[in-house]
Structure formats: structure tokens, C-alpha cells
Amino acid sequence: MDNFGTTGSRPEWEALKSIVLIGNHLPRQCGIATFTTHLLESIALNAPDKACWAVAMNDRPTGYSYPSQVRFEINQSQLNEYSLAADLCNLNQVDVICLQHEYGIFGGKRGSFIIELLRNLNMPVVTTLHTILKDPNLQDRHIMMQLAEFSDRLVVMSERSVEFLRDIYQVPEEKIVLIHHGIPDVPFVESDAYKDKFGVSGKKVILTFGLLSPGKGIEVVIDALPEIVKAHPQVIYMVVGATHPHLKMEHGEDYRNSLHRRAKELGVSEHIVFHDRFVADEDLLEFIGVADIYVTPYLNEAQIISGTLAYALGMGKAVISTPFWHAQELLADDRGRLVPFRDQAALAQEVIDLLDHPDECRAIQERAYQYGRKMVWSDVGRRYLDTFAEAKRQRLRKNVPRRGLETLGLRQQRLPEIKLDYLRRMTDDTGMLQHAKYTVADRTHGYCVDDNARALIVAVTLQDLQPLDSAQSGLAATYLSFLGHAFNDQTGRFRNFMSYDRHWLEGTGSEDSHGRAVWGLGVAVALGRDKGQVGFSVDLFHRALDATEHFTHPRAIAFAIIGIHAYLGRYSGDSRAKMMRKILSERLMQRFRDFAPQEVPLGCASEDWPWCDSILTYDNARLPQALLLSGQWLPDSEMLEMGLRSLDWLKQVQTDEKDRHFVAIGNHGWFPIGGEKARFDQQPIEAAAMVDACIEAFNCTRDEEWITYAYRCLNWYQGENDLGVPLCDYATGGCRDGLEAQGANENQGAESTLCWLMALLAVYNHRSWDRVTPEEEPTRLDVQKVSSE
């Protein structure tokens, strides 16, 4: 444990009684965990009369063996747990929250789940930003803008970070506080004092430490070693640190092994020592202490903060670094040397020069050590406490929630946990089985493309929300394999039904099943994280696309349009896909135009039936969803207007007049024009379609009524329906097959389960990615203008 020092509370801290830090925490192995742990300790030692504790983020279900100061844990993939953490902090009347923000440690798209927590906090929030992107995409920019909106102060650790927040994200300067990265407070000690312990007495030690990953550029130092060793044969290069856990999970030790091979090929293996472990604080100080020269050979400039560089500089090491942003700042004024990226010759030259001139090396070390005195943890802790007190005294967040927990609106309702237990139970090594008797898979009916396409959508969408969970990748591979086998190259079409003994029951499936397969493949391309699976999906998508040009059924056309839009989200320049989108969108729009007034029975004006057919059946909302997507992105005002109009009509005809809950059109007679709407059996497929379409309508209009209705449709599964009976199974993630007059159909088939999961994931995704400000939105049609026309 570092000696942070104590000073006792200052008068300006009097209003602070309790402080909570949110972030990773030791013993989790990462830089953010180390930072959060040390910051919490420094704050507690500076103000021992304050209650200081932590909320820790977990990247695995089992969590970690945390110390007592960690009082609550959040599974980063579970959105509800973020809300529970906010409730806990509000109920405990915490005075200040200090959030440690880094991309990759929170769930949701690009870590967007953390916004759910911040949105519901009543107390001041001080957010420390460990990464600030210079060229953010739309989603990253949106998340940073929300962090700024829901925080009272933003703490950054470099002058460049201040510039980025001010100039790129337009954050008011009064919200920005510069506090350097903390470092241990240790005396300046010669490196020889540590060398005996590591068996390098008489050697000159070059050191790099930190979690190992390709971006660290270790190979550049290895490439420079032959030249360095030629001039100074006594040089040893020590590489200290475990492979980054997430890299190791996906790629094993490929990077580390490549470094060993490189060193052997260059004949410098005897001059390199790898310490393959996560280094605790006490050992870390000794490792840094042994270094004569510290090297940070990062491969690009986009590193706004480097804790390892701060530690090395603060302990008085002569640092040679590539000119990434933080290094440019810390090593200015001759506190270190900078070399170009990926330039082993320049690196070798600087190392040799410092070893040739020990007096200059010593001068650099002393300048670095003196500069680092303002970065010691005890001073950093005091700066944070000052910032907490100022944030409590002067709130700069404009939209602090005032309501109590009992009055949370529909948009803030707790969402059920996403569970795939039942989906896995219904999936074997062939694919997902169609039907079930109660909760047991019924092998009699085998498999179909429809359900495996839906299952693929669920699996890859969940990959996008839970990027560290590899199980979804295995499921996606199974469903992709089924679709690949279903495609008949001779006809260019998908077969649909397969028996349990793996025999196809038809040569060509329906247009609907083909359209769903294209939809699933488009989503797999858009959201897939496995390069091999994405490549497979792109190839099959292209082979399947041609057949859709001749489709005539509106529902199949809509499915294909939705899939093409997803695909274009990743490959926006694909001219063939864009042409097919336009052809199919115009064909669907023409179907709505062609349903002429003479086809409408007497007494039923065409305006009262804004549809493309004489009967409403199932999955109806996919048609307006497709029109809304194309209306925005082609763009086409007529499509957009018809999409909104037809969806609004579907909303009206599927809402209970008394209780205002969702009432899906029943499949016992459907809803023919001029006839009675069937009340039962209501199918889960319609609620899922309405959820997606209403969210898309909100994206077009920013009208909160659409989101309210999307939640109403989601809640149909949870018991807000005609019979007050829940259809979803919270324990397994399954869903009953429909709402019948006498109760729920207790069979839990694939379609119902997948529709429930798709609806739930759609709302999760919306909660991850909503409230876009006007300046953040992509160029779209002016919906108000469309309405007036």
C-alpha cells in the first residue's frame, strides 16, 4: 500500500458526508481498477471522517473477491443492475458520485448502459474521463455528450483532454477540471539499488510495463535491440505485465508468442526478460525502480492518458516514448525524449545516446521526478475532494431528477434480465427447433429457416450489447450454418422446413422465409463481431439478395428491406444493395398506392383503412417499419408519411379502448376490411413487430408517444393484456405461444420465445441509444414538413 499521507478535512469539505466511486476495482486486473482503488484510498486518507466506498463493475458473472470498501457490484451486461445501483446511492443519500469512465468497462453499445445509472442519480456526479476520442463516430459522440449532460464536473488528466472536450464536444469550460493522473509518492532512488533482486546487477535495464496488447508496440523495441546491444552489450529489456485479459480470451497468447519468435529471429532472446503476470503495487514500484530507461513505444497518437507513463515519470525515470498525446505533454521541456512511431532506428539511437551520456540521462531523471511531485496520490485526492465540494455547492447539471422512486414513469421501468436459457434448450447442433410441448422441445416438427433467422438476430444483437460474452458467438455460428445449408444454389432460394432427421421437406421455401433470412443475415453483417461469421454472412447475403428483386408479397419485401438497411449500416457503399433497397421500397410503397378506394367496402372510407391489403394478419408492423427506414434514408417523404400513418392506424386498432393496453390482432379470423377484428388468439409476433416499428417511428419524429407505446407492447408479454396473464417466462427467457380466450397457450415454441427476446432487446437497445440531440442526428427528412405536405 502506497503512503498517500493525510491532512485531515478542510472546512470546504464539511458538506461532504459520503462519497461513492463507480468503476473497476482491484483485484480485477486492469488500469482502471488500479486507478479507482488508489483514488478511493487517497480520498479516504485525506478525509478519514467521510464514508467512502465503491461500486465495482464486473466483466464476469462470478465477480471478484473484493475488499470491504466495495459495497455493491454491477454485472456490466445487466441493464437493471445499473438502475439498482442508482437506487442504492439515492436511498443512502450519498453526497457525491465519482464515476470512472472508460470505453469497454460498461455494458450496452459502446458502454451506454452507464447512462441509465447517471440519469437516475439525484446527487452531484463528478466523472473522470480516461479516454476522449478525437474523431468520434455518431454513437461515441452521443455517449460523451450524455456523460457531460448528466455530470456536474468532468475531470480530465491532460491539457489535450481539456481542448478536446471544449472544441470537439462543446463542453462548457466551467464543467472541466484538470487533475493529473495519480502516482505513488516514493523517494528518488538509483536503479542499482533494485538490480540484485532481479538478477541484473551490472546490466543496463530498459523497461516497459503494463497489460500486453498489440497496440503497445513492444515489437518496435525488439527490432531496435540488435543495434542497441551492438553498442551496449550489457543491455537487458524487461517486459513486465500479463496479456490483457480480454485479448487473451479472444486470441490467447498469440501476441506474446509472436514477440518471443521475433526476438529469437533477431538473435536478441538473451537480452529480453518477460515477466508474464499482473504486478501488484509493491512489486510494481520495484520493477520501475530497476529501470535505467523506460520506454513507451505505443503505435499511434490516440492515447490521451497513460498511467504507466505517469508512474515512470513520477518515479524519476528517463523516458523515451513515441509522441502519443499524453507523452507530448508529460515529456515536454526536456523531461524525456520523443521518437517517431514505428521507427526502431530512431529509438535505438536515443537509447544509445542516453546510455552514452549518463549525465544527461541523470538530468532528465531529475527533471521528471520534480515534475511528478504535483501528481502524487495525496495531492490528487485533495484535488478531487475540492472538486466534490465545489460540485455539491454549485450544481451544473441542468436536469436533476426530482421524482421519487415510486413515481418512475413508463420509460424508466425496470426491464427483465435477458436470459437465453430456454433458447439454448431449444437449440441443438443443427439449429433451433420450431415447436415445444409445454417447455420441452417437440422434435416432430423439426426446424425452419424462419426461426433460425430470428435466432440469429437475437444472438448477434446480444453480442452487440454484451461484447465480452463469447457464448452468443457459438449460437450465431449454429444459426448461420443452418441458413447456409438451407440455401439452394441451384434456385437461389432458401428452403424453409427441415425434418428432425435433417431432410429438407421442400425444394423452395416461401418468400417470407427468404425475406427473414436476408433480414437475419443483414443484422449479422451489421452487428457481428466474429470476422469469420461476418464474412460468411456477407457472402450468403449477396447470394440471397438477387431473388428478392422479384418478390411480390409485401411482408417478404418488408423483411428484405429491413435486412438490407441493417447490412448498409456496415457497408454503406454497396451499390447493389442500395439499388435493391430502392426497388423493393418503391414496390412496397406502390402496394399501398394500389389499394384503391374502389376496393374498400361501402361505409368504409379508404382513409380509415391505410393498408396495402384487404386483411390484417400477422407481423403487420414490419411493413410500416420498412417504409420508415426507407423514408428516412433514401430519402422519400411519401414513404415516411405512409409509414407513420399506417403505424399510427395499427396502434389505434390494437389498443384496448378502456384500459389502453395492447391487443394484438387474433389469428382466429384476423381483421378483414369491413369485418370484425378477432380478439383471440393473440400472437407474440405482433407485439415484437410493434415494438421495433414504434422505436423506429420515434427515431423519425422524436415523439415520446411512440416510445410509450413500444413499452406498452413490451408489457403485453408481462401481463398487461386482455387476461392479465404474463406470457414471458422470467426464469428461462422463454415465452408462451399466445393469448387464447381461456388463458395462455402453455407451449413455449421458438417463434414466441424469439419474438419476446427480440422485443426485449429492442427496448434495451433503445435505452442504450436514445435522446440524441438535434445536432447529433444524421441528415433525415423534416418530419414536420412531411406531415404538413
PDB file of all heavy atoms in Angstrom, residues 448-449 480-489 491 493-496 498 504 507 540:
ATOM      1  N   CYS A 448     -36.895 -24.794 -38.974  1.00  0.00           N
ATOM      2  CA  CYS A 448     -37.254 -23.957 -40.121  1.00  0.00           C
ATOM      3  C   CYS A 448     -36.325 -22.760 -40.204  1.00  0.00           C
ATOM      4  O   CYS A 448     -35.733 -22.333 -39.209  1.00  0.00           O
ATOM      5  CB  CYS A 448     -38.715 -23.507 -40.060  1.00  0.00           C
ATOM      6  SG  CYS A 448     -39.078 -22.327 -38.746  1.00  0.00           S
ATOM      7  N   VAL A 449     -36.205 -22.239 -41.418  1.00  0.00           N
ATOM      8  CA  VAL A 449     -35.379 -21.059 -41.652  1.00  0.00           C
ATOM      9  C   VAL A 449     -35.927 -19.845 -40.903  1.00  0.00           C
ATOM     10  O   VAL A 449     -35.175 -19.029 -40.352  1.00  0.00           O
ATOM     11  CB  VAL A 449     -35.275 -20.767 -43.166  1.00  0.00           C
ATOM     12  CG1 VAL A 449     -34.880 -19.310 -43.428  1.00  0.00           C
ATOM     13  CG2 VAL A 449     -34.251 -21.696 -43.800  1.00  0.00           C
ATOM     14  N   LEU A 480     -26.158 -19.519 -38.349  1.00  0.00           N
ATOM     15  CA  LEU A 480     -25.609 -19.204 -39.671  1.00  0.00           C
ATOM     16  C   LEU A 480     -25.376 -20.472 -40.485  1.00  0.00           C
ATOM     17  O   LEU A 480     -25.652 -20.517 -41.690  1.00  0.00           O
ATOM     18  CB  LEU A 480     -24.285 -18.442 -39.522  1.00  0.00           C
ATOM     19  CG  LEU A 480     -24.380 -16.940 -39.273  1.00  0.00           C
ATOM     20  CD1 LEU A 480     -23.015 -16.374 -38.922  1.00  0.00           C
ATOM     21  CD2 LEU A 480     -24.939 -16.221 -40.510  1.00  0.00           C
ATOM     22  N   SER A 481     -24.879 -21.483 -39.826  1.00  0.00           N
ATOM     23  CA  SER A 481     -24.650 -22.752 -40.518  1.00  0.00           C
ATOM     24  C   SER A 481     -25.961 -23.320 -41.052  1.00  0.00           C
ATOM     25  O   SER A 481     -26.021 -23.837 -42.181  1.00  0.00           O
ATOM     26  CB  SER A 481     -23.989 -23.752 -39.561  1.00  0.00           C
ATOM     27  OG  SER A 481     -23.783 -24.994 -40.187  1.00  0.00           O
ATOM     28  N   PHE A 482     -27.036 -23.207 -40.261  1.00  0.00           N
ATOM     29  CA  PHE A 482     -28.340 -23.684 -40.715  1.00  0.00           C
ATOM     30  C   PHE A 482     -28.786 -22.911 -41.953  1.00  0.00           C
ATOM     31  O   PHE A 482     -29.249 -23.505 -42.944  1.00  0.00           O
ATOM     32  CB  PHE A 482     -29.372 -23.542 -39.600  1.00  0.00           C
ATOM     33  CG  PHE A 482     -30.702 -24.156 -39.935  1.00  0.00           C
ATOM     34  CD1 PHE A 482     -30.977 -25.468 -39.605  1.00  0.00           C
ATOM     35  CD2 PHE A 482     -31.678 -23.417 -40.592  1.00  0.00           C
ATOM     36  CE1 PHE A 482     -32.202 -26.045 -39.935  1.00  0.00           C
ATOM     37  CE2 PHE A 482     -32.906 -23.982 -40.918  1.00  0.00           C
ATOM     38  CZ  PHE A 482     -33.165 -25.299 -40.585  1.00  0.00           C
ATOM     39  N   LEU A 483     -28.651 -21.592 -41.916  1.00  0.00           N
ATOM     40  CA  LEU A 483     -29.060 -20.783 -43.066  1.00  0.00           C
ATOM     41  C   LEU A 483     -28.212 -21.108 -44.287  1.00  0.00           C
ATOM     42  O   LEU A 483     -28.720 -21.165 -45.425  1.00  0.00           O
ATOM     43  CB  LEU A 483     -28.961 -19.298 -42.736  1.00  0.00           C
ATOM     44  CG  LEU A 483     -29.914 -18.759 -41.665  1.00  0.00           C
ATOM     45  CD1 LEU A 483     -29.732 -17.254 -41.507  1.00  0.00           C
ATOM     46  CD2 LEU A 483     -31.358 -19.083 -41.985  1.00  0.00           C
ATOM     47  N   GLY A 484     -26.912 -21.310 -44.062  1.00  0.00           N
ATOM     48  CA  GLY A 484     -26.042 -21.652 -45.184  1.00  0.00           C
ATOM     49  C   GLY A 484     -26.453 -22.958 -45.836  1.00  0.00           C
ATOM     50  O   GLY A 484     -26.457 -23.084 -47.073  1.00  0.00           O
ATOM     51  N   HIS A 485     -26.806 -23.945 -45.024  1.00  0.00           N
ATOM     52  CA  HIS A 485     -27.232 -25.238 -45.554  1.00  0.00           C
ATOM     53  C   HIS A 485     -28.604 -25.126 -46.216  1.00  0.00           C
ATOM     54  O   HIS A 485     -28.903 -25.860 -47.172  1.00  0.00           O
ATOM     55  CB  HIS A 485     -27.271 -26.259 -44.421  1.00  0.00           C
ATOM     56  CG  HIS A 485     -27.554 -27.664 -44.860  1.00  0.00           C
ATOM     57  ND1 HIS A 485     -26.887 -28.269 -45.893  1.00  0.00           N
ATOM     58  CD2 HIS A 485     -28.445 -28.585 -44.412  1.00  0.00           C
ATOM     59  CE1 HIS A 485     -27.332 -29.502 -46.056  1.00  0.00           C
ATOM     60  NE2 HIS A 485     -28.293 -29.720 -45.176  1.00  0.00           N
ATOM     61  N   ALA A 486     -29.426 -24.209 -45.721  1.00  0.00           N
ATOM     62  CA  ALA A 486     -30.778 -24.050 -46.277  1.00  0.00           C
ATOM     63  C   ALA A 486     -30.767 -23.420 -47.658  1.00  0.00           C
ATOM     64  O   ALA A 486     -31.724 -23.582 -48.426  1.00  0.00           O
ATOM     65  CB  ALA A 486     -31.624 -23.198 -45.331  1.00  0.00           C
ATOM     66  N   PHE A 487     -29.712 -22.703 -47.985  1.00  0.00           N
ATOM     67  CA  PHE A 487     -29.697 -22.001 -49.270  1.00  0.00           C
ATOM     68  C   PHE A 487     -29.423 -22.985 -50.401  1.00  0.00           C
ATOM     69  O   PHE A 487     -28.463 -23.760 -50.371  1.00  0.00           O
ATOM     70  CB  PHE A 487     -28.638 -20.901 -49.264  1.00  0.00           C
ATOM     71  CG  PHE A 487     -28.712 -19.996 -50.467  1.00  0.00           C
ATOM     72  CD1 PHE A 487     -29.721 -19.051 -50.577  1.00  0.00           C
ATOM     73  CD2 PHE A 487     -27.794 -20.110 -51.507  1.00  0.00           C
ATOM     74  CE1 PHE A 487     -29.808 -18.222 -51.686  1.00  0.00           C
ATOM     75  CE2 PHE A 487     -27.865 -19.286 -52.617  1.00  0.00           C
ATOM     76  CZ  PHE A 487     -28.883 -18.335 -52.704  1.00  0.00           C
ATOM     77  N   ASN A 488     -30.269 -22.939 -51.417  1.00  0.00           N
ATOM     78  CA  ASN A 488     -30.156 -23.809 -52.577  1.00  0.00           C
ATOM     79  C   ASN A 488     -29.533 -23.006 -53.715  1.00  0.00           C
ATOM     80  O   ASN A 488     -30.188 -22.144 -54.307  1.00  0.00           O
ATOM     81  CB  ASN A 488     -31.533 -24.342 -52.971  1.00  0.00           C
ATOM     82  CG  ASN A 488     -31.467 -25.382 -54.072  1.00  0.00           C
ATOM     83  OD1 ASN A 488     -30.528 -25.434 -54.850  1.00  0.00           O
ATOM     84  ND2 ASN A 488     -32.502 -26.219 -54.133  1.00  0.00           N
ATOM     85  N   ASP A 489     -28.277 -23.282 -54.013  1.00  0.00           N
ATOM     86  CA  ASP A 489     -27.582 -22.509 -55.041  1.00  0.00           C
ATOM     87  C   ASP A 489     -28.211 -22.683 -56.415  1.00  0.00           C
ATOM     88  O   ASP A 489     -28.108 -21.795 -57.269  1.00  0.00           O
ATOM     89  CB  ASP A 489     -26.107 -22.912 -55.095  1.00  0.00           C
ATOM     90  CG  ASP A 489     -25.293 -22.261 -53.984  1.00  0.00           C
ATOM     91  OD1 ASP A 489     -25.312 -21.020 -53.896  1.00  0.00           O
ATOM     92  OD2 ASP A 489     -24.657 -22.985 -53.207  1.00  0.00           O
ATOM     93  N   THR A 491     -31.402 -22.837 -57.171  1.00  0.00           N
ATOM     94  CA  THR A 491     -32.592 -21.980 -57.324  1.00  0.00           C
ATOM     95  C   THR A 491     -32.356 -20.557 -56.841  1.00  0.00           C
ATOM     96  O   THR A 491     -33.156 -19.662 -57.132  1.00  0.00           O
ATOM     97  CB  THR A 491     -33.771 -22.568 -56.537  1.00  0.00           C
ATOM     98  OG1 THR A 491     -33.445 -22.572 -55.129  1.00  0.00           O
ATOM     99  CG2 THR A 491     -34.071 -23.988 -56.981  1.00  0.00           C
ATOM    100  N   ARG A 493     -32.648 -19.728 -53.820  1.00  0.00           N
ATOM    101  CA  ARG A 493     -33.657 -19.523 -52.774  1.00  0.00           C
ATOM    102  C   ARG A 493     -33.339 -20.388 -51.552  1.00  0.00           C
ATOM    103  O   ARG A 493     -32.643 -21.400 -51.625  1.00  0.00           O
ATOM    104  CB  ARG A 493     -35.041 -19.893 -53.298  1.00  0.00           C
ATOM    105  CG  ARG A 493     -35.587 -18.941 -54.358  1.00  0.00           C
ATOM    106  CD  ARG A 493     -36.050 -17.618 -53.771  1.00  0.00           C
ATOM    107  NE  ARG A 493     -37.135 -17.828 -52.843  1.00  0.00           N
ATOM    108  CZ  ARG A 493     -38.430 -17.912 -53.185  1.00  0.00           C
ATOM    109  NH1 ARG A 493     -38.782 -17.808 -54.467  1.00  0.00           N
ATOM    110  NH2 ARG A 493     -39.360 -18.095 -52.279  1.00  0.00           N
ATOM    111  N   PHE A 494     -33.890 -19.967 -50.415  1.00  0.00           N
ATOM    112  CA  PHE A 494     -33.779 -20.762 -49.201  1.00  0.00           C
ATOM    113  C   PHE A 494     -34.893 -21.799 -49.149  1.00  0.00           C
ATOM    114  O   PHE A 494     -36.048 -21.505 -49.492  1.00  0.00           O
ATOM    115  CB  PHE A 494     -33.893 -19.869 -47.956  1.00  0.00           C
ATOM    116  CG  PHE A 494     -32.702 -19.011 -47.708  1.00  0.00           C
ATOM    117  CD1 PHE A 494     -32.670 -17.699 -48.159  1.00  0.00           C
ATOM    118  CD2 PHE A 494     -31.597 -19.510 -47.022  1.00  0.00           C
ATOM    119  CE1 PHE A 494     -31.575 -16.892 -47.930  1.00  0.00           C
ATOM    120  CE2 PHE A 494     -30.488 -18.710 -46.787  1.00  0.00           C
ATOM    121  CZ  PHE A 494     -30.472 -17.405 -47.242  1.00  0.00           C
ATOM    122  N   ARG A 495     -34.550 -23.007 -48.735  1.00  0.00           N
ATOM    123  CA  ARG A 495     -35.568 -23.947 -48.300  1.00  0.00           C
ATOM    124  C   ARG A 495     -35.964 -23.549 -46.882  1.00  0.00           C
ATOM    125  O   ARG A 495     -35.159 -22.949 -46.163  1.00  0.00           O
ATOM    126  CB  ARG A 495     -35.008 -25.369 -48.343  1.00  0.00           C
ATOM    127  CG  ARG A 495     -34.716 -25.838 -49.759  1.00  0.00           C
ATOM    128  CD  ARG A 495     -33.780 -27.017 -49.804  1.00  0.00           C
ATOM    129  NE  ARG A 495     -32.408 -26.637 -49.504  1.00  0.00           N
ATOM    130  CZ  ARG A 495     -31.337 -27.287 -49.958  1.00  0.00           C
ATOM    131  NH1 ARG A 495     -31.489 -28.329 -50.759  1.00  0.00           N
ATOM    132  NH2 ARG A 495     -30.124 -26.887 -49.631  1.00  0.00           N
ATOM    133  N   ASN A 496     -37.146 -23.911 -46.454  1.00  0.00           N
ATOM    134  CA  ASN A 496     -37.606 -23.457 -45.142  1.00  0.00           C
ATOM    135  C   ASN A 496     -37.646 -24.588 -44.122  1.00  0.00           C
ATOM    136  O   ASN A 496     -36.977 -24.539 -43.098  1.00  0.00           O
ATOM    137  CB  ASN A 496     -38.975 -22.789 -45.248  1.00  0.00           C
ATOM    138  CG  ASN A 496     -39.365 -22.055 -43.969  1.00  0.00           C
ATOM    139  OD1 ASN A 496     -38.529 -21.805 -43.105  1.00  0.00           O
ATOM    140  ND2 ASN A 496     -40.631 -21.706 -43.845  1.00  0.00           N
ATOM    141  N   MET A 498     -37.148 -28.272 -42.380  1.00  0.00           N
ATOM    142  CA  MET A 498     -36.286 -29.444 -42.304  1.00  0.00           C
ATOM    143  C   MET A 498     -36.815 -30.372 -41.219  1.00  0.00           C
ATOM    144  O   MET A 498     -37.156 -29.924 -40.116  1.00  0.00           O
ATOM    145  CB  MET A 498     -34.837 -29.040 -41.982  1.00  0.00           C
ATOM    146  CG  MET A 498     -33.906 -30.220 -41.728  1.00  0.00           C
ATOM    147  SD  MET A 498     -32.295 -29.723 -41.060  1.00  0.00           S
ATOM    148  CE  MET A 498     -31.423 -29.388 -42.581  1.00  0.00           C
ATOM    149  N   TRP A 504     -34.564 -32.028 -45.969  1.00  0.00           N
ATOM    150  CA  TRP A 504     -35.365 -30.882 -46.374  1.00  0.00           C
ATOM    151  C   TRP A 504     -36.715 -31.367 -46.888  1.00  0.00           C
ATOM    152  O   TRP A 504     -36.793 -32.356 -47.624  1.00  0.00           O
ATOM    153  CB  TRP A 504     -34.656 -30.062 -47.447  1.00  0.00           C
ATOM    154  CG  TRP A 504     -33.471 -29.326 -46.894  1.00  0.00           C
ATOM    155  CD1 TRP A 504     -32.161 -29.595 -47.113  1.00  0.00           C
ATOM    156  CD2 TRP A 504     -33.510 -28.224 -45.994  1.00  0.00           C
ATOM    157  NE1 TRP A 504     -31.364 -28.726 -46.405  1.00  0.00           N
ATOM    158  CE2 TRP A 504     -32.171 -27.867 -45.712  1.00  0.00           C
ATOM    159  CE3 TRP A 504     -34.535 -27.495 -45.392  1.00  0.00           C
ATOM    160  CZ2 TRP A 504     -31.827 -26.821 -44.862  1.00  0.00           C
ATOM    161  CZ3 TRP A 504     -34.206 -26.445 -44.547  1.00  0.00           C
ATOM    162  CH2 TRP A 504     -32.879 -26.122 -44.290  1.00  0.00           C
ATOM    163  N   GLY A 507     -38.260 -27.996 -51.866  1.00  0.00           N
ATOM    164  CA  GLY A 507     -37.159 -27.503 -52.684  1.00  0.00           C
ATOM    165  C   GLY A 507     -36.957 -26.008 -52.559  1.00  0.00           C
ATOM    166  O   GLY A 507     -35.839 -25.503 -52.634  1.00  0.00           O
ATOM    167  N   LEU A 540     -23.304 -14.995 -48.036  1.00  0.00           N
ATOM    168  CA  LEU A 540     -24.643 -15.569 -48.181  1.00  0.00           C
ATOM    169  C   LEU A 540     -25.677 -14.481 -48.457  1.00  0.00           C
ATOM    170  O   LEU A 540     -26.624 -14.685 -49.237  1.00  0.00           O
ATOM    171  CB  LEU A 540     -25.002 -16.354 -46.919  1.00  0.00           C
ATOM    172  CG  LEU A 540     -26.285 -17.190 -46.958  1.00  0.00           C
ATOM    173  CD1 LEU A 540     -26.294 -18.135 -48.161  1.00  0.00           C
ATOM    174  CD2 LEU A 540     -26.447 -17.970 -45.655  1.00  0.00           C
TER     175      LEU A 540
END
